[in-house]
Every structure is written in structure tokens, then in C-alpha cells.
Amino acid sequence: MRLRNKPWAPALIQQHPEFILVDPPQMAGQWQKRFAKSQPLELELGSGKGQFIMEKARQNPQINFIAMEVQTAAIAMILKKQVVEQLPNLQLLQANGRDLLNYFAAQEISKLYLNFSDPWPKKKHTKRRLVAPNFLQMYQQILASQGQIEFKTDNQGLFEYALLSLNNFSAQFNRISLNLHASAYAASNIPTEYEDKFTQKGQPIFYLQAQLRPHKKDCPLNNTAEQSL
């Protein structure tokens, strides 16, 4: 969902290069230099207003986080809060997800979060879905060995597509839930702004955690997932 324009956003972004980079050249493999100390690096692709990623950073000081968002208004709202809190393990990146390989080196990311991504329901827009094969190929390159993807959505059609797309990419499913907030994973869940709204309306949240592996043709759906349906 596109946010309303924030007239103050460009100036704020320009004033705080210590917290945010905009379409930066030559950052692949260099991200640890942006943090107080070198630690495992996790990325949220499409951070919205930042409720999820900021809380992850607060609760996990032993991990470095990057909030990546293309919308100027959204990333500026995260930045506004970061200017106040100055979390040492959080950096912001304003850039388009289709260009991930321009910003991250091979195996640089230990975990990737995809929260309430645009479902792009029309068939002609399939390649824009963040769980489409063209995106999975990029994730496979930037994720470290044993690196994980966590995916949440309120859209059942997108969730079914994600399961199929990941399965066809020979992913190993570690967790699957058709109702996250009623599952065993609810206690450790950190909600996004959208998630709070959907939950208040009684909508179930679909969730999975998976690891990408070398692609194998005709691989059946992995049944080793710890399912909490």
C-alpha cells in the first residue's frame, strides 16, 4: 500500500546518512562497516513503517538488521523513529528489491523477512511477487548457508503461491501455519502495522519459514515442516 507523500521526508533522509543509504553503489559485502560491531545480518524486504524491524532490533542486540523499503514516505517514517532511538544494530536502505544483487554480496544475509508483501494478483504481474522464482534466485545468492526466509501474509492466494514457488525451488519448509496467532509460534511473533489491523478484523495470518537449497526438478513438497495449522 502506497503511503501519502511526506513533504519533510527527503530533507530528513538527506540529513541522516549515518542511518540511511539511498540506492548506494558498492555496498555489497560492506554492510558490517555501517554497524557498531560485526554480527549476523538480517534483512527485511519491504519494511513499511518499521514496527516489525525496529522491535526485532530492540529485542535482538546481538544481530544487525537492515530495513529495506522503496517508498520515500515509509522509509522516512522509520528513520524519524531511528533518529530518536539510535539503535546501533539497525540501518536503513531505500532501494528497489529487484536490485538486491547490487547491494548485497553472496551469503551476506543470514535471514530474510518478507512481511505482507504486495500480492500482485494479476497473472501478468507474477514476476513482481517477492516469492516469484526470479526473486528466489536472488535470495539464494545473498543468503548464507542455512539462511532462512520468513514469510507472513493475510492473502491466502499469495500464501499458496509462495508454497508452490518455494517447493519448486527445492526449499526445505521448517514451519508452516495457516493461522499464526493461534499457533505455537504466536508467542515469539512480532506483528507489523498491517498485521495488527488484519488481526483485529479476525483475519488469519499465514506464515512459513523455509531454507533454500540447490534446485532439483520434480522435487515433491517437503513434509518435514513442523506444522502448526
Side-chain angles (χ1 to χ4, degrees):
M1 183 181 295
R2 185 161 294 278
L3 301 177
R4 291 182 179 180
N5 182 47
K6 306 293 182 184
W8 48 266
L12 182 68
I13 291 171
Q14 190 173 15
Q15 291 166 8
H16 291 283
E18 73 276 21
F19 294 129
I20 185 170
L21 292 175
V22 179
D23 194 19
Q26 301 177 336
M27 275 306 298
Q30 304 298 314
W31 280 100
Q32 295 294 351
K33 297 178 182 178
R34 298 278 301 179
F35 295 92
K37 54 185 176 179
S38 181
Q39 304 181 133
L41 184 60
E42 300 186 358
L43 168 68
E44 183 185 23
L45 182 53
S47 294
K49 299 177 184 178
Q51 176 174 299
F52 170 86
I53 198 68
M54 292 200 73
E55 187 59 29
K56 287 291 289 188
R58 293 185 195 105
Q59 292 187 17
N60 299 276
Q62 78 284 4
I63 299 173
N64 290 334
F65 294 91
I66 297 175
M68 184 171 177
E69 172 62 51
V70 69
Q71 290 190 60
T72 299
I75 200 75
M77 293 179 75
I78 306 175
L79 177 58
K80 191 174 183 179
K81 291 178 278 191
Q82 173 64 342
V83 168
V84 174
E85 294 200 39
Q86 300 193 17
L87 297 169
N89 61 331
L90 177 64
Q91 284 286 312
L92 282 59
L93 170 60
Q94 185 182 8
N96 197 304
R98 68 188 177 205
D99 300 320
L100 278 178
L101 299 185
N102 292 343
Y103 310 120
F104 301 102
Q107 299 189 333
E108 189 169 14
I109 302 299
S110 60
K111 197 168 189 178
L112 175 68
Y113 300 96
L114 304 173
N115 293 320
F116 299 89
S117 310
D118 193 324
W120 293 106
K122 294 183 179 180
K123 188 174 182 179
K124 65 180 180 180
H125 293 151
T126 298
K127 289 186 176 180
R128 298 185 185 183
R129 299 171 189 166
L130 295 187
V131 284
N134 49 303
F135 279 98
L136 297 183
Q137 289 171 2
M138 291 191 289
Y139 304 156
Q140 188 178 48
Q141 293 184 57
I142 67 172
L143 280 170
S145 177
Q146 305 301 313
Q148 298 176 338
I149 295 175
E150 287 202 1
F151 175 80
K152 291 193 290 185
T153 182
D154 67 306
N155 188 296
Q156 183 174 347
L158 180 61
F159 189 71
E160 291 171 354
Y161 175 84
L163 289 172
L164 180 61
S165 183
L166 284 160
N167 177 66
N168 289 342
F169 211 77
S170 298
Q172 174 179 314
F173 293 91
N174 299 325
R175 294 180 176 183
I176 297 174
S177 177
L178 304 182
N179 190 349
L180 173 60
H181 292 183
S183 75
Y185 317 129
S188 60
N189 178 57
I190 295 175
T192 72
E193 296 90 349
Y194 289 134
E195 186 173 350
D196 284 337
K197 292 180 181 179
F198 297 141
T199 303
Q200 289 171 8
K201 294 179 181 179
Q203 296 177 235
I205 304 302
F206 303 94
Y207 165 76
L208 67 81
Q209 182 190 94
Q211 291 174 220
L212 297 182
R213 299 181 296 180
H215 182 63
K216 294 180 181 179
K217 293 182 180 180
D218 302 322
C219 178
L221 182 65
N222 186 292
N223 292 318
T224 62
E226 176 189 352
Q227 295 192 3
S228 180
L229 307 181

